[in-house]
Amino acid sequence: MTGMRWPLVPLGEVAPLVRRPLVVEPEGKYREIGIRSHGKGVFHKLPVSGLELGDKRVYRICPGDLLFNIVFAWEGAVALAGVGEEGMIGSHRFLTCVVDRERADASFLRHFFTTPTGLAHLLASSPGGAGRNRTLGLAGLSRIPVPLPPLDDQRRIVARLDAVSARLKACAETTERQEAELAAMLQQAFARITAGSPRARMADVAPLVRRPIEVEPDGQYPELGIRSFGRGPFHKPSLSGLDAGSKRLFRIEPGDLVFNIVFAWEGAVAIARPEDAGRVGSHRFLTCVADQTRVSAEILRFWFLSREGLAALGQASPGGAGRNRTLGLDALSRIEVPIPSLDAQAWFEALHARASNLRALHAAAADDAAALVPAMLHQTFSPAAC
């Protein structure tokens, strides 16, 4: 069917807007829906009482409704109500279109609105600025032209897309389970090599090393950032010398164990990679250099991201939450870290490297999988077909 041009009909002709206003009882209990952007479906908000809803206008949702969040429809806040949405409500910001089942398949229309063509129509029908200033107009929505191949063909297309999505979901769940098993295995292995091992202060095995640089007004200084929760380093845009002003900058070298002192307590710890060479950090980024004759940076990084290590960083970061918790230089230097034997360290690092390679394969497969359904949608709803 993708080689043929499908007829186009206004959405309002096959899926008109239907409103089911609900009278709110003060003693009643109600549960509202929400719609995630980017075609990620419906979610359920916490139950509220009629008193909490007050004079808010709400409407009943029914299974099979084609749903649009008028504020974020332009970025794919489109979904299909299922049996789980029976009895739920939505505010005036949620439009419910009831599909004529003799002419159109609701899932087919939902898929269309997640394609670049469908999103472009929703964007054009949502005048205004970005974010909450862009609102989908009711009249504009009803006029959007939607492709309408024969109903049997619509159902076949939906069945094929849903089957692929189901397989991808099953694969993602398997990968998630494997990732959890990998993490547990590494934690157990690390616990074995560090059990009973001697301890040493950071100052003795991985002292702080500062490499201040002289900032030139016409220079460019690419910065390095560290994500929280052990998610590694990332590259910030370059900072010009003029923008840097009196800001102190320090050179970061590959192999450095880097701490973001503002968020170290939540795992903003990483090892600088070869591709991070030449990057700089402000005074908020501490670089420690491990004495390789005693302990590797990877062993230290793994420990600092363990429950015990994070607790130690938390104790060394006094203050309140967020930016009020700052890792102290002296406190970091006094933290005592486990020092397993070099043979045990080498064994663990080899194990960790194999796990990292497996995770890289998982990530590549996930990227390929994430591109599969959009590619199928593009092929199905290509301009030649629509």
Side-chain angles (χ1 to χ4, degrees), residues 239-284:
L239 185 69
S240 72
L242 285 176
D243 288 335
S246 60
K247 185 176 182 179
R248 289 177 294 150
L249 299 178
F250 301 86
R251 193 173 77 255
I252 295 171
E253 296 286 354
D256 285 352
L257 183 64
V258 188
F259 298 82
N260 177 335
I261 64 174
V262 179
F263 295 111
W265 60 275
E266 64 175 17
V269 182
I271 297 174
R273 306 159 301 182
E275 58 265 36
D276 301 325
R279 294 268 157 182
V280 301
S282 72
H283 67 283
R284 291 178 172 169

Side-chain angles (χ1 to χ4, degrees), residues 324-363:
N324 294 321
R325 297 198 66 168
T326 303
L327 177 63
L329 277 65
D330 290 339
L332 173 62
S333 71
R334 291 193 300 269
I335 292 176
E336 292 192 346
V337 295
I339 310 294
S341 70
L342 291 177
D343 286 343
Q345 292 184 47
W347 172 82
F348 180 80
E349 289 191 62
L351 184 67
H352 188 271
R354 290 197 294 273
S356 297
N357 289 337
L358 187 55
R359 283 173 171 157
L361 291 174
H362 287 167

Side-chain angles (χ1 to χ4, degrees), residues 67-349:
L67 307 171
F68 299 85
N69 177 335
I70 63 174
V71 178
F72 295 111
W74 58 275
E75 64 175 18
V78 182
L80 190 62
V83 293
E85 281 67 65
E86 182 72 64
M88 300 247 172
I89 61 172
S91 73
H92 68 283
R93 291 178 173 171
F94 294 86
L95 304 184
T96 51
C97 295
V98 177
V99 178
D100 180 350
R101 296 183 180 181
E102 294 185 359
R103 297 187 63 189
D105 183 286
S107 291
F108 179 84
L109 295 178
R110 181 189 66 81
H111 281 303
F112 167 70
F113 280 112
T114 64
T115 67
T117 301
L119 289 170
H121 282 304
L122 289 171
L123 180 63
S125 301
S126 304
R132 292 188 177 274
N133 294 321
R134 301 206 72 135
T135 302
L136 178 63
L138 277 64
L141 174 64
S142 68
R143 290 194 296 267
I144 291 177
V146 296
L148 209 66
L151 190 56
D152 286 345
D153 290 325
Q154 294 180 48
R155 290 169 177 161
R156 277 194 289 270
I157 289 168
V158 168
R160 185 170 70 249
L161 289 169
D162 287 351
V164 171
S165 295
R167 287 197 294 271
L168 292 178
K169 182 180 179 182
C171 289
E173 290 172 349
T174 299
T175 298
E176 185 177 351
R177 187 169 59 253
Q178 291 173 340
E179 289 285 333
E181 292 170 353
L182 270 177
M185 178 270 293
L186 286 172
Q187 290 289 351
Q188 291 168 4
F190 193 78
R192 284 200 302 272
I193 69 166
T194 55
S197 62
R199 301 262 170 157
R201 297 191 316 158
M202 277 288 288
D204 297 327
V205 294
L208 177 69
V209 174
R210 290 299 223 183
R211 310 179 188 94
I213 60 175
E214 185 174 343
V215 177
E216 301 289 343
D218 56 350
Q220 292 292 320
Y221 303 94
E223 291 189 281
L224 189 71
I226 305 295
R227 299 181 183 90
S228 294
F229 312 111
R231 292 181 295 175
F234 66 95
H235 290 178
K236 296 182 179 181
S238 289
L239 185 69
S240 72
L242 285 176
D243 288 335
S246 60
K247 185 176 182 179
R248 289 177 294 150
L249 299 178
F250 301 86
R251 193 173 77 255
I252 295 171
E253 296 286 354
D256 285 352
L257 183 64
V258 188
F259 298 82
N260 177 335
I261 64 174
V262 179
F263 295 111
W265 60 275
E266 64 175 17
V269 182
I271 297 174
R273 306 159 301 182
E275 58 265 36
D276 301 325
R279 294 268 157 182
V280 301
S282 72
H283 67 283
R284 291 178 172 169
F285 291 82
L286 304 183
T287 50
C288 294
V289 178
D291 178 352
Q292 298 291 328
T293 66
R294 300 188 65 184
V295 66
S296 72
E298 180 54 47
I299 293 296
L300 294 174
R301 185 199 69 87
F302 198 92
W303 183 79
F304 274 114
L305 293 175
S306 70
R307 184 177 300 177
E308 183 186 11
L310 288 171
L313 288 171
Q315 291 176 357
S317 305
R323 292 188 178 275
N324 294 321
R325 297 198 66 168
T326 303
L327 177 63
L329 277 65
D330 290 339
L332 173 62
S333 71
R334 291 193 300 269
I335 292 176
E336 292 192 346
V337 295
I339 310 294
S341 70
L342 291 177
D343 286 343
Q345 292 184 47
W347 172 82
F348 180 80
E349 289 191 62

